[in-house]
């Protein structure tokens, strides 16, 4: 996908203070050569007047007039050049490249001189691109392109584009800045996760109490008015008495399984920074889990320790069941592209969001936990169908050592509460841990049933 942005040229008929200001700026664009010509011409004219040399006066006037003519020509041409930028794609993963295409168009009746293009690019995306264009004929177009790449996620502005105009003699140089710019969104890296199955817990009713969360959900017992042909065995007598008309139970409606991805963003829970830090691994892990669960047909939701949710407050807070999966994935990735540390000290707000129950699957990416926060996270398990936690020891990510005993104790505490919990060593691949989680859950969850993949 791509997007074009254009800065329209200003017509020649512009008058008033802007026009006078533009002319003053044009005179300010005289190069060293242009100023030398002007000074030499004035000096020659003064000497010719003093000495009474008419030929020298003509030479002086020519030297002085040449840079002034170049200024006037460039002043006119300055408002007759249009520019456009196209960014493809507008959203890329960290470490991937995007292509930026610039197009210049000479909409005046006069050819331009030498042009130099310079696009403003944040230093995280690479060096500032510069291009030199030869003479552009009237109505002519020139296209150039460059590539940008960032190892850091975020939203980065591209532009505005600057254009330098030169006259053929190099006597005057003007710089014009266009107002339009584009935004490149760099989202976290994602890993393809294996389609493993873990035992979970479902709250279904009917003949098969054991159900796959991906195939069915709770019965919809909200009654509706009786219609001709409805089975009388489905009459809901309590509602019939309440509403004064015959009411029947609606047929059971399959419901997409739900998945909440909890991302711990507390500043105190992570040490270090940069693309290889523990926090960036957790953000990439959350992105991978969300994309994977969307692809498996789940309705998903992103929850942070601050209690904020994405896609936001809706009928149930989840997205994917009624929205296009690609749009949902884009919204989630845009959010994760700019997520930053929170100043919160605990997970209580996230726990409050999960109090409603019927949350389906919970996948948590947790930073350093103290004993109190580990106990709070353990209690979240009772509000979900199945729960998987990836606990990071951010200190070992700085040293590259083994997972500390304190983190192992936290993992053991979560497992005792029913979580499928794994400690994340430095440099681990989420795909391997995802596969490992299936084996851990199969060994420790004999009291649960159902499944998710």
């Amino acid at each position: 996908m791509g997007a074009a942005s254009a800065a329209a040229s200003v017509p020649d008929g512009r008058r008033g203070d802007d026009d006078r200001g533009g002319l003053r700026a044009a005179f300010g664009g005289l190069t060293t050569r242009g100023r030398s010509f002007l000074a030499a011409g004035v000096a020659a004219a003064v000497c010719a007047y003093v000495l009474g040399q008419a030929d020298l006066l003509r030479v002086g006037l020519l030297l002085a007039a040449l840079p002034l003519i170049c200024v006037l020509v460039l002043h006119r041409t300055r408002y007759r050049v249009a520019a456009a930028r196209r960014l493809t794609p507008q959203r890329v993963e960290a470490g991937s490249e995007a292509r930026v295409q610039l197009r210049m168009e000479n909409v005046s009746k006069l050819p331009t001189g030498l042009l130099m293009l310079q696009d403003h690019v944040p230093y995280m995306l690479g060096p500032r691109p510069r291009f030199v264009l030869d003479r552009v004929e009237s109505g002519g177009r020139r296209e150039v392109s460059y590539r940008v790449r960032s190892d850091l996620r975020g939203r980065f502005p591209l532009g505005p584009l600057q254009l330098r105009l030169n006259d053929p003699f190099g006597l005057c140089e003007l710089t014009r800045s266009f107002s339009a710019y584009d935004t490149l969104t760099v989202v976290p890296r994602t890993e393809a996760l294996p389609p493993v199955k873990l035992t979970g817990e479902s709250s279904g009713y009917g003949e098969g109490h054991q159900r796959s969360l991906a195939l069915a959900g709770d019965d919809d017992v909200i009654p509706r008015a009786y219609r001709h042909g409805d089975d009388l065995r489905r009459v809901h007598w309590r509602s019939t008495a309440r509403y004064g008309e015959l009411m029947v139970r609606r047929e059971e409606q399959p419901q997409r399984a739900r998945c909440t991805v909890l991302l711990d963003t507390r500043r105190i829970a992570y040490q270090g920074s940069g693309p290889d830090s523990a926090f960036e691994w957790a953000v990439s892990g959350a992105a991978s889990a969300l994309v994977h669960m969307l692809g498996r047909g789940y309705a998903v939701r992103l929850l942070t320790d601050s209690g904020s949710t994405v896609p936001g407050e809706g009928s149930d807070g989840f997205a994917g069941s009624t929205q296009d999966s690609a749009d949902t994935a884009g919204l989630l990735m845009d959010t994760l592209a700019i997520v930053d540390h929170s100043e919160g000290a605990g997970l209580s707000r996230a726990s409050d969001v999960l109090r409603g129950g019927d949350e389906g699957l919970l996948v948590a990416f947790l930073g350093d936990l103290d004993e109190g926060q580990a106990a709070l996270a353990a209690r979240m398990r009772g509000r979900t169908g199945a729960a998987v936690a990836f606990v990071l020891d951010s200190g070992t990510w700085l040293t590259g050592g083994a997972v500390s005993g304190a983190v192992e104790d936290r993992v053991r505490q979560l497992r005792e509460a029913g979580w499928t919990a794994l400690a994340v060593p430095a440099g681990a691949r989420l795909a391997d841990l995802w596969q490992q989680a299936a084996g851990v859950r199969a060994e420790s969850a004999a009291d649960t049933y159902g499944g998710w993949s």
Side-chain angles (χ1 to χ4, degrees), residues 93 189-195 288-289 291-292 429-432 434:
E93 284 192 3
R189 294 185 180 95
T190 58
E191 291 186 48
L193 303 181
S288 301
V291 172
H292 175 75
R429 293 181 64 250
L430 179 60
D432 297 335
W434 196 266

Side-chain angles (χ1 to χ4, degrees), residues 373-405:
Q373 295 307 311
L376 179 59
R379 291 194 295 270
M380 296 181 190
R381 171 62 183 89
R383 304 164 188 170
T384 63
V388 183
F390 300 96
V391 185
L392 289 88
D393 184 0
S394 62
T396 62
W397 282 71
L398 297 176
T399 62
V403 176
S404 65

Side-chain angles (χ1 to χ4, degrees), residues 26-59:
F27 278 104
L30 284 172
T31 63
T32 302
R33 182 185 299 177
R35 296 176 187 273
S36 299
F37 266 64
L38 185 60
V42 172
V46 172
C47 292
Y49 176 76
V50 173
L51 300 176
Q53 297 291 328
D55 293 336
L56 182 59
L57 178 62
R58 286 191 288 269
V59 172

Side-chain angles (χ1 to χ4, degrees), residues 181-413:
Y181 67 93
D182 287 289
T183 301
L184 174 66
T185 303
V186 181
V187 301
R189 294 185 180 95
T190 58
E191 291 186 48
L193 303 181
V196 299
K197 289 183 178 292
L198 299 184
T199 54
E201 189 171 341
S202 153
S203 56
Y205 300 89
E207 295 182 6
H209 189 64
Q210 281 189 328
R211 297 190 178 183
S212 170
L213 287 174
L215 297 179
D218 294 342
D219 293 346
D220 185 355
V221 296
I222 300 176
R224 61 169 174 81
Y226 174 82
R227 298 172 186 168
H228 180 71
D230 284 338
D231 190 344
L232 292 178
R233 290 176 297 181
R234 293 197 295 113
V235 173
H236 196 265
W237 297 109
R238 182 178 300 177
S239 298
T240 299
R242 178 181 179 182
Y243 293 104
E245 59 178 318
L246 202 59
M247 306 291 289
V248 297
R249 292 187 298 271
R250 292 183 181 180
E251 295 180 358
E252 183 178 339
Q253 299 292 332
Q255 186 181 31
R256 288 182 69 179
R258 295 176 173 182
C259 175
T260 297
V261 175
L262 171 61
L263 175 61
D264 183 6
T265 64
R266 296 172 299 139
R267 187 179 301 276
I268 62 174
Y270 298 94
Q271 302 179 41
S273 60
D276 296 326
S277 64
F279 179 66
E280 292 301 322
W281 189 96
V283 174
S284 296
S288 301
L290 288 166
V291 172
H292 175 75
M293 302 313 294
L294 269 176
R296 302 294 296 179
Y298 278 66
V300 300
R301 174 179 64 177
L302 173 64
L303 173 66
T304 65
D305 59 284
S306 63
S308 61
T309 60
V310 178
E313 297 298 333
S315 58
D316 56 8
F318 291 83
S321 57
T322 58
Q323 300 178 3
D324 182 79
S325 294
D327 294 339
T328 301
L331 174 62
L332 295 169
M333 292 302 103
D334 287 347
T335 302
L336 289 174
I338 58 175
V339 70
D340 201 356
H341 289 291
S342 71
E343 301 303 327
L347 303 172
S348 58
R349 293 184 179 179
S351 178
D352 292 340
V353 174
L354 296 173
R355 282 182 179 176
D358 192 24
E359 302 296 340
L361 172 66
L362 174 62
V363 181
F365 294 86
L366 306 173
D368 298 334
L369 299 173
D370 57 25
E371 186 175 354
Q373 295 307 311
L376 179 59
R379 291 194 295 270
M380 296 181 190
R381 171 62 183 89
R383 304 164 188 170
T384 63
V388 183
F390 300 96
V391 185
L392 289 88
D393 184 0
S394 62
T396 62
W397 282 71
L398 297 176
T399 62
V403 176
S404 65
V407 174
E408 294 289 358
D409 292 340
R410 303 292 180 252
V411 169
R412 188 179 306 108
Q413 184 177 355

